[in-house]
Amino acid sequence: MLVNTKDMLLKAKEEQYAVAAFNVYNLETVQAAIRVAEEQQHPVIIALGERYFGTVDVEGFASLVHTLAGKASVPVGLHLDHAYEKESIIRAIRAGFTSVMYDGSKFNLEENTRLTKEITEIAHMAGVSVEAEIGSVALGAFSDEEEGAGTLTDPNEAKRFVEETGVDFLAAAIGTVHGMYKGEPNIRLDLLDEIRNKVDVPLVLHGASGTPDEIIKEAVAKGICKINVNTEVSLAATRHLDEMFKNEERKNAHLSTIMADMQQAMEPVMTKFVRLLMNK
């Protein structure tokens, strides 16, 4: 069933678990995410980044997710990830996304607040929930996200930002990266505690790929309600593809077989994350 992402995350906050937001790009990635969620009987968020609008038809994609979510036995959210343009957000709202993320983290706090408030007012008129970010997530290895400064979230600024913008959930920068870590992770769980004490809306963690399992579990226990996963799932598929083409007997396989096999390669990674976030 397709649900409003805000309702999904408020329930997660109340019951102290988190929901995986898997970045997807095609039918197989969507099917993998929903199949794993049904197997684990846990909600899931299907996330399409603005950066993929050039290769994914947004309206067709939304219709696909609506159909698959309608058949699912678990709650499914449809989320626009890391959007920088108001036009993209309006397009996603019209297409039936249940939440959008406006990323104004490159601006100073005042400008980010002003722009995010404008987006929030537009989205709320359509019954769509909004995620935003202050601070920024640095760029790691194997990611296709834009470079971030890695500025950690200031708890007092987070409080002011949420109050003035009316956003429904907030991405907190506590030291994770987009992609895989290039060195030892330095995740500031103490900072997460401070942010949680200042901010009452559900908190989001970007950059789960490569983050140690125990850190993810502790972050959920400390109030993270949504965790974005992209690179680790992508690597599972592309590394499977690489191994397949090294196999003389399989490198000329039919495309339908290749795509089905790549979906199967992604599902164990997705399962790992969903189980971590269930907080059981």
Side-chain angles (χ1 to χ4, degrees):
M1 67 202 83
L2 191 71
V3 302
N4 188 296
T5 313
K6 177 182 178 180
D7 295 338
M8 180 189 291
L9 296 187
L10 286 175
K11 189 173 191 296
K13 181 174 180 287
E14 179 183 352
E15 299 184 11
Q16 296 184 307
Y17 61 81
V19 180
F22 291 114
N23 280 96
V24 299
Y25 336 97
N26 60 8
L27 171 65
E28 287 75 21
T29 48
V30 176
Q31 287 182 158
I34 293 178
R35 179 178 295 178
V36 165
E38 289 193 295
E39 287 175 350
Q40 301 302 316
Q41 282 298 291
H42 196 70
V44 69
I45 297 168
I46 304 300
L48 179 70
E50 180 190 65
R51 68 187 303 104
Y52 303 121
F53 277 24
T55 55
V56 177
D57 181 280
V58 178
E59 291 75 20
F61 174 83
S63 294
L64 167 70
V65 175
H66 274 245
T67 299
L68 295 180
K71 296 164 61 178
S73 60
V74 293
V76 178
L78 175 55
H79 180 69
L80 173 63
D81 193 30
H82 283 287
Y84 306 94
E85 303 296 332
K86 182 166 67 173
E87 292 77 12
S88 299
I89 289 172
I90 292 173
R91 185 179 178 189
I93 291 171
R94 287 175 172 166
F97 282 60
T98 64
S99 59
V100 295
M101 179 195 179
Y102 173 67
D103 186 348
S105 60
K106 66 181 180 181
F107 299 110
N108 62 37
L109 180 62
E110 287 71 24
E111 185 68 357
N112 190 3
T113 300
R114 183 186 71 80
L115 294 169
T116 302
K117 182 178 180 181
E118 179 184 352
I119 294 297
T120 302
E121 290 172 350
I122 293 170
H124 282 179
M125 283 191 290
V128 173
S129 48
V130 178
E131 175 183 339
E133 180 176 10
I134 58 171
S136 64
V137 178
L139 187 66
F142 308 115
S143 174
D144 66 349
E145 299 287 352
E146 292 183 2
E147 182 72 64
T151 306
L152 300 182
T153 300
D154 180 284
N156 291 318
E157 290 184 352
K159 181 177 186 295
R160 173 187 162 192
F161 181 79
V162 169
E163 290 173 348
E164 294 187 9
T165 61
V167 296
D168 301 291
F169 28 105
L170 181 73
I174 60 171
T176 53
V177 301
H178 282 135
M180 306 298 284
Y181 296 91
K182 297 177 181 178
E184 288 296 318
N186 180 23
I187 315 300
R188 291 283 307 278
L189 293 173
D190 60 319
L191 179 58
L192 176 58
D193 284 332
E194 294 180 38
I195 298 168
R196 175 75 286 160
N197 289 334
K198 296 280 187 179
V199 175
D200 193 45
V201 299
L203 295 177
V204 178
L205 186 68
H206 288 215
S209 294
T211 301
D213 292 357
E214 290 307 312
I215 295 293
I216 290 177
K217 286 184 179 179
E218 195 166 351
V220 173
K222 289 177 176 291
I224 290 293
C225 300
K226 169 179 175 279
I227 294 188
N228 290 20
V229 185
N230 188 345
T231 306
E232 201 166 326
V233 175
S234 171
L235 285 173
T238 56
R239 287 173 175 170
H240 170 82
L241 189 62
D242 180 58
E243 289 300 316
M244 182 175 177
F245 283 122
K246 290 177 181 176
N247 186 324
E248 288 295 324
E249 295 181 359
R250 301 198 64 206
K251 68 179 182 180
N252 293 317
H254 194 274
L255 178 60
S256 61
T257 300
I258 294 172
M259 300 306 294
D261 286 352
M262 289 176 72
Q263 178 176 325
Q264 290 183 0
M266 291 183 283
E267 289 177 6
V269 179
M270 291 180 170
T271 299
K272 179 196 79 167
F273 279 105
V274 170
R275 287 178 176 170
L276 281 174
L277 305 191
M278 293 171 74
N279 198 21
K280 292 182 179 179

